[in-house]
Amino acid sequence: MRTAAVVANVVCLCIAYGIRVFDDGALAAWSGTALYTSVVYGVIVFARPTIRPLAAFAGATGFSWFMELSQLTPVPGYLSARSILARQVFGAQFDPNDLPWYPAGALLMMAAHTVYRRVRQTGSARTESSDTATDPATPSSG
């Protein structure tokens, strides 16, 4: 699960920065906002691989909203003016238009996370059933 979270984060970052190469308007701003939360979601899953998708969604959205609302204070602007990394993490100024884009990014990752878990569970169930079918120590039902 951790490997999948890292791969998802790399893909999200490549998409976000790739969009900025071709567009510096609303598409770049809104997709960057959504993909920011996607990366936060990936970090949460990396830190806690067994977390359920809905809990990761809530954590990523809540963290992103917290960071956006913290921009109503002077602290993120102060830090962002001194560091490119801080600007990427904290942003610089509050924008209420960003608020709905955070859950959109988390929703994308929640969908991918849910599909990934189901595929792994299905594959695990198939492996267990084939192991049971070929294991001579397993009693037959018939």
Side-chain angles (χ1 to χ4, degrees), residues 10-89:
V10 168
V11 168
C12 287
L13 289 170
C14 287
I15 292 170
Y17 289 112
I19 288 171
R20 288 186 179 268
V21 168
F22 299 105
D23 182 80
D24 62 353
L27 175 64
W30 294 333
S31 65
T33 301
L35 290 165
Y36 172 89
T37 305
S38 297
V39 170
V40 172
Y41 190 108
V43 169
I44 290 170
V45 172
F46 181 84
R48 190 161 173 222
T50 59
I51 193 166
R52 295 185 186 272
L54 186 58
F57 169 87
T61 301
F63 176 84
S64 297
W65 280 343
F66 172 79
M67 294 305 289
E68 187 68 37
L69 293 172
S70 75
Q71 293 171 4
L72 292 169
T73 72
V75 175
Y78 173 83
L79 296 172
S80 295
R82 285 155 181 72
S83 165
I84 293 171
L85 180 60
R87 184 172 180 82
Q88 295 297 308
V89 173

Side-chain angles (χ1 to χ4, degrees), residues 88-110:
Q88 295 297 308
V89 173
F90 299 115
Q93 62 188 23
F94 176 75
D95 184 354
N97 295 320
D98 288 347
L99 295 173
W101 290 102
Y102 293 125
L107 188 61
L108 174 70
M109 290 295 278
M110 185 174 80

